[in-house]
Amino acid sequence: MARRSLSKQPPSIVEVAERAGVSIATASRVMSNSSYPVNIATREKVLKAATELGYTPNSLARSLRSQRSKLIAAIVGDNADPYFAEIMRGVEDVASEHGYLTIVCNSDRQPAKELHYLRTLRDYRADGVLFAGGALNEPSHAQRLEEVVNEMKSRGAAIITLAQHTLGVPSIQTDNFGGARAMTTRLLELGHRRIAFVAGPSNLTVANVRLQGYMAALVEAGLSLDPHLILTGNFDREGGQRAAHDIAQIPVEHRPTAIFAANDQTAFGVMLGLGEMGWRVPDAISVCGFGDLPMAQIVFPQLTTVSIPLRQLGRTGTLRLLAALRNEEIPPLEVLPTTVVERSSTAPYREAL
C-alpha cells in the first residue's frame, strides 16, 4: 500500500487482479462486462478489490481496443437557438441511456467551420455524427463534406442528418415544405391575400424549402407572387425586427395584412419590431412562425406557429444512428409530420395600418 501512495498513480487492472487473487484476464473480463463466463464468487471478489482500490476502467484504453469511442457529436447551426436546444435534449436522452457521450459543435452556419468540426470529429474517431441543421449551399462545400463523411463511414462511423441535406446518408426530417404550405393556406382561409414571408438564410436548405412551401400555397390559391413581400431574414430576432421596419415602408395599398416568419425566433423579432412602431398584433397585422418553441406560448400575444416535434426528431435520429452502428438496416428517409397551431397572434383579415 505504501508503494501505491508514493507513486500517486491510479490503480491498475494488474493490482485489482493481485488483490482478488485471480488472473489479469479474469479481472479484465469482469471490469469490462465481457460476455465471457465468470462465476459469481470470482466476480464478487474482483468487484470488491476494485472498490477497495478505487479502480476505474480506462475508457480511452477500452475504446482503442474496441475501436469504439462511445462518442456522438451533433453539428448545429447555432447552439444559442432554442430550436437546436430542443433537438439536443432528445439526442442526449437517448445517447446517455446507451452509454454514449454527446458533444455539440456550433458551426454558426459557416461552411468552413462545419468542415473543420467534421474533420476534427473524424480525427477523434467519433462513432457517429448528427447534422442537426440543413445543408449549407456553398460552392464545393458539399463535395468536401462528402469526402470526410465517406472516410468516417469506411471505418464504421454512422452519419445521420436531421434536415434536408446534400449528403447521401440516412435522414430524419420534419415536413418543412408541407408545414409552410399548410400555414400559408391557413392564413388564406382567414381571408389574407397579401402575406409577407420573412425568409431564413439564403444558403440554408431548410430555409429555402420553407420558402417554397409558402410560394406553393399562394400559387395553388391562384395568387401571383409579389417579390416585395419576401423579405430577408437570418433565423434570428434581429432579422425579424429589421423586416418589420421594412414592411412599415411599404405603401399602404401594397402592405401585407399577415406576416409569416420562417422560424419562431424571427417571428419574435417581427412582433418586437411592430411593437416598437406601435402596431398591435393581430389588430393591425397577423404574425405567425415556424417551430413552436416553448417561448411561443409565453410571448404576448401567443404565437401562431407550425409545431415541429423537435425532441422526437433528436431522439429518433439518435436511435437510428445507434441502430446503424449495430449494422442494422435503417430507412433512408423518415419524415415527421408538422402541425399548424393557432394562437392569438393571428386573426381574420383586416386592413393594415
Side-chain angles (χ1 to χ4, degrees), residues 137 158 165 187 202 246 274 300 308 338:
N137 300 319
H165 215 287
L187 292 173
S202 60
D246 289 341
L274 294 174
F300 181 81
I308 301 175
T338 55

Side-chain angles (χ1 to χ4, degrees), residues 47 64 96 230 285:
L47 294 174
L64 290 173
S96 62
I230 300 176
I285 191 165

